[in-house]
Amino acid sequence: MSNQAIPQIAARPKTGYRWVVITIVFFVCLVNLADRTNIGVALPFISKEFGLTHLEAGAMAGTFFLGYAISQIPAGFWCGKYGTRGIVTFAILGFSLCTYLIGTAASAFGIKAFRFGLGVTEGPIPVGCTSTINNWFPAKEKATATGIYIAATMCAPILVPPLCVWIAMEYGWRWIFLTFAIPGIFMAIIWHLFVKSKPEDSKYVSPSELAYIRASEGATVDDTPKHSAPPPLSRWFKVKNITLIESNAKIFTSWNIWGNCLAYFMMVSVLYGLLTWIPTYLVNEKGFSFMKMGMVAASPWIGGLIGCIFGGWLSDKIRQRKPMMMLTALSTAIMMMVMINIPDNMPLVVLSLFLVGFMINVGWPSFTAYPMGLTTRSTYPIAISLVNSGGNLGGFFAPIIAGFLLDKFDSFTNVFIYFGIAALLGFLIILTLDEPEA
């Protein structure tokens, strides 16, 4: 088959199995995030039973991210060496077991230990899922697929609070974790059966779809330029023709990777700080009942769901990642100042939380898609594991720092100031990054 024929076939793929794969990725991440975020609703019940301070409760929630950060880089090496199929399968089974064990814990220390285990076992999931996206999608669809993946992380907080409140009120907080452990078993089986590490290994992918996926990866497949026109925003955000990082060692000396990691750390601090403390904020600061809290607590993640899908699509449309990352960081900082001044009015609280979720997530897919433009398929797992490992340490520190501020000042004002400063620092770091050619 000639090089000239491949682009023609690639333009008309006979199958679209990559969209089945991203659908499975979506549901794996939905279960993954549900098991991670249910602690936010359960925390007031757990704190009451074990007599925890805000600092202790924040440490309980944040311990997850310590284990999560530790397992990221090893997971990156494993995915790069062995592929994603088996590693993700075992990770799903592992975090489902840890979720179940949290419901059986007899002490606060036991919950912390199992939350740490939950973090360790969930660590391979983002590396595995984003590496799967990088392997299964052409460059022009990567941010859109990443947006769908990130959307699952937003769907979980929408569905989890009302369901968790109902379970806790009817059966007790332990049944939240016992119940949430079940779906992961089914998703592990589905993943192992239907998601191969690479499309080349799947019997469901036609040669034309494979050619379409690989069409932008080199001159042997497509000798034409990736795009016939410069990106729409290239006048303001210069695009550089960056040499792809082809060795794992060079990942650790790239400022673009480390800068993305630091900026992600700041944004994760905001996202998971809010995820942990929004339920408590609504009950203690705004005086909502637990049932009303369960409904209102979903509003930022409804905004986030819309934001990440729209943001991923727009990032592919403008063929740049940096502008979306800058937008999300700066607008999040502004929204944190808005949060400080919200009156005790339910519609305004819901609207503000919706906008917070939208602004945080409109650029969220770009943090994951950005390293795809800097690395090869073989070095991307290490790059994204480094970004996730360092970035998600923000999820460890943020709930603890927020808990400390609540114990000291008994108000969420300083918590939102802390989140606003973190987002602003993220914005300044993003300014220093290069924009790779998409």
Side-chain angles (χ1 to χ4, degrees):
M1 183 178 295
S2 68
N3 288 347
Q4 287 77 16
I6 291 175
Q8 295 175 353
I9 293 176
R12 299 187 301 273
K14 293 183 179 179
T15 58
Y17 192 72
R18 66 194 184 282
W19 299 108
V20 175
V21 169
I22 195 62
T23 301
I24 296 173
V25 167
F26 176 91
F27 283 105
V28 166
C29 293
L30 179 64
V31 173
N32 176 245
L33 265 291
D35 286 358
R36 179 190 312 181
T37 59
N38 53 21
I39 191 70
V41 174
L43 210 53
F45 298 96
I46 295 172
S47 297
K48 183 178 180 180
E49 179 170 329
F50 295 108
L52 304 180
T53 65
H54 286 114
L55 179 60
E56 291 169 334
M60 179 179 288
T63 299
F64 164 89
F65 289 96
L66 184 59
Y68 192 68
I70 288 172
S71 63
Q72 290 283 318
I73 293 178
F77 279 104
W78 295 334
C79 287
K81 186 174 183 180
Y82 302 110
T84 59
R85 184 189 180 201
I87 291 169
V88 173
T89 299
F90 282 110
I92 299 170
L93 293 173
F95 74 67
S96 298
L97 175 62
C98 290
T99 299
Y100 176 84
L101 291 174
I102 292 172
T104 68
S107 66
F109 176 79
I111 296 176
K112 289 179 184 178
F114 294 135
R115 283 281 295 176
F116 178 82
L118 184 70
V120 171
T121 51
E122 283 198 11
I125 297 298
V127 179
C129 287
T130 54
S131 295
T132 298
I133 291 170
N134 197 39
N135 287 334
W136 275 83
F137 284 84
K140 65 182 180 180
E141 294 177 355
K142 288 183 190 293
T144 299
T146 303
I148 295 172
Y149 153 73
I150 299 294
T153 70
M154 297 299 105
C155 279
I158 294 170
L159 301 174
V160 164
L163 181 59
C164 285
V165 168
W166 178 78
I167 293 173
M169 298 294 286
E170 290 291 326
Y171 304 104
W173 65 267
R174 294 180 183 277
W175 278 97
I176 293 175
F177 302 97
L178 300 179
T179 304
F180 276 46
I182 298 172
I185 299 172
F186 295 100
M187 290 312 305
I189 295 171
I190 292 171
W191 179 278
H192 195 72
L193 291 177
F194 297 106
V195 182
K196 302 290 187 180
S197 297
K198 298 181 295 182
E200 287 86 347
D201 300 332
S202 176
K203 64 181 180 180
Y204 301 109
V205 176
S206 67
S208 60
E209 183 178 10
L210 181 60
Y212 177 80
I213 292 170
R214 299 293 179 236
S216 61
E217 293 191 4
T220 59
V221 177
D222 187 355
D223 290 326
T224 59
K226 293 180 182 178
H227 300 291
S228 59
L233 298 182
S234 59
R235 179 179 177 181
W236 295 280
F237 301 94
K238 299 297 183 182
V239 175
K240 292 189 176 182
N241 186 7
I242 296 173
T243 302
L244 297 182
I245 302 173
E246 296 183 342
S247 72
N248 290 332
K250 290 182 180 180
I251 293 290
F252 295 92
T253 60
S254 169
W255 166 248
N256 286 324
I257 297 295
W258 280 108
N260 188 41
C261 177
L262 290 172
Y264 193 52
F265 173 91
M266 298 301 171
M267 298 310 300
V268 169
S269 296
V270 180
L271 181 67
Y272 285 104
L274 289 172
L275 198 60
T276 300
W277 288 109
I278 281 295
T280 302
Y281 163 77
L282 294 173
V283 172
N284 293 349
E285 189 95 348
K286 296 303 180 185
F288 290 176
S289 66
F290 277 107
M291 291 303 294
K292 187 179 290 186
M293 174 272 288
M295 295 182 289
V296 177
S299 55
W301 317 119
I302 295 173
L305 173 63
I306 297 171
C308 64
I309 294 176
F310 173 73
W313 171 82
L314 184 59
S315 181
D316 276 341
K317 195 73 173 176
I318 65 173
R319 307 200 301 273
Q320 294 196 51
R321 314 306 183 201
K322 185 174 172 179
M324 302 304 298
M325 295 156 68
M326 292 171 59
L327 172 63
T328 208
L330 185 59
S331 60
T332 296
I334 293 171
M335 285 307 303
M336 290 303 100
M337 298 303 103
V338 172
M339 290 295 295
I340 294 173
N341 299 292
I342 299 175
D344 295 338
N345 178 283
M346 184 172 176
L348 287 177
V349 171
V350 170
L351 176 61
S352 298
L353 289 175
F354 175 89
L355 290 174
V356 166
F358 181 87
M359 295 304 181
I360 289 178
N361 287 281
V362 73
W364 202 265
S366 295
F367 286 96
T368 299
Y370 177 75
M372 295 178 184
L374 301 171
T375 58
T376 65
R377 282 191 288 128
S378 62
T379 57
Y380 176 78
I382 301 301
I384 195 59
S385 67
L386 177 60
V387 171
N388 280 336
S389 181
N392 279 283
L393 283 174
F396 170 69
F397 289 110
I400 298 174
I401 294 172
F404 169 77
L405 293 172
L406 286 172
D407 281 337
K408 186 171 182 63
F409 299 104
D410 196 29
S411 169
F412 274 86
T413 297
N414 290 287
V415 173
F416 290 130
I417 291 174
Y418 157 57
F419 291 153
I421 291 173
L424 188 58
L425 288 173
F427 174 79
L428 295 175
I429 294 169
I430 294 165
L431 289 176
T432 69
L433 303 182
D434 294 324
E435 178 68 60
E437 191 173 21

